Amino acid sequence: MRVVIALGGNAMTSPDGSARPEDQIAAIHTAMAATADLIAAGHEVVVTHGNGPQVGNLLVKNELAAAVVPPVPLDWCGAQTQGTIGFMILDELEAALAEQGADAPVAALVSRTLVARDDPHFLEPTKPIGRYLPEEAARTMIEHGQTWQDRGERGWRRVVASPEPLEVLEVGTMRTLLGDGYVVVGAG
């Protein structure tokens, strides 16, 4: 039986929401021990994950370093966090499988989603992301081409487009890996 396990980005943090490396590793360790049980029982497994808090942390690094180095685009933040989370899941799942004496190849994918270039959501970004900043700090990020909105008492917040997804480009690769007996890890 194929089992899809979806780990939310918040599920990979500590109970208080901290997304420190040690918190993420501990949460993933727990999840991958249970995942290894399913694999050892003979199930075909796909692990998908979110990355909201992790991207949020990377955005803070962008903000803090903006006066020194240009911030990287949001899709790069998504890819970087997918790679990092995939790396942690690979380490923890392979260790959990080894503890059980189970042998299954595991692969992590960085996935991309195709959207229409002319999707109307690009014209007026509305999806808030990241933390609130005072106007002066937001202005620095606006100078780097980002869109920020005044959100009243709480401060300014970045907004991005949220276009309709048309296709996940790595579906064929995922199917090939599953056909070859791999456990597949990728962002959802």
Side-chain angles (χ1 to χ4, degrees):
M1 173 190 312
R2 180 176 295 164
V3 177
V4 177
I5 297 170
L7 297 174
N10 288 314
M12 293 178 280
T13 64
S14 69
D16 70 357
S18 299
R20 298 173 307 166
E22 57 269 24
D23 298 325
Q24 293 179 73
I25 291 168
I28 290 170
H29 174 82
T30 300
M32 291 307 102
T35 302
D37 291 341
L38 292 169
I39 296 165
H43 297 287
E44 181 181 74
V45 174
V46 175
V47 178
T48 183
H49 63 81
N51 58 349
Q54 295 78 11
V55 168
N57 280 352
L58 200 48
L59 291 173
V60 171
K61 292 176 184 179
N62 268 350
E63 294 161 12
L64 294 174
V68 180
V69 295
V72 298
L74 184 60
D75 57 343
W76 288 24
C77 293
Q80 287 177 35
T81 56
Q82 284 183 51
T84 301
I85 293 167
F87 172 80
M88 289 187 292
I89 290 173
L90 287 174
D91 277 352
E92 295 301 322
L93 183 53
E94 287 177 344
L97 289 167
E99 282 181 22
Q100 293 196 16
D103 185 30
V106 184
L109 294 175
V110 172
S111 60
R112 299 164 296 154
T113 303
L114 181 66
V115 298
R117 185 178 304 276
D118 62 350
D119 186 297
H121 293 95
F122 285 120
L123 299 175
E124 289 192 43
T126 58
K127 181 178 181 180
I129 62 169
R131 62 189 185 141
Y132 291 88
L133 293 178
E135 182 177 359
E136 183 178 318
R139 292 274 172 222
T140 300
M141 301 311 290
I142 291 168
E143 289 172 13
H144 286 287
Q146 296 180 3
T147 303
W148 287 70
Q149 291 179 343
D150 184 351
R151 296 289 175 131
E153 288 182 23
R154 295 189 72 186
W156 287 64
R157 195 156 183 212
R158 183 175 179 189
V159 290
V160 298
S162 185
E164 293 296 319
L166 301 175
E167 177 184 1
V168 175
L169 299 175
E170 281 65 43
V171 168
T173 303
M174 181 174 45
R175 286 188 178 132
T176 299
L177 289 168
L178 288 170
D180 289 342
Y182 278 78
V183 176
V184 179
V185 176

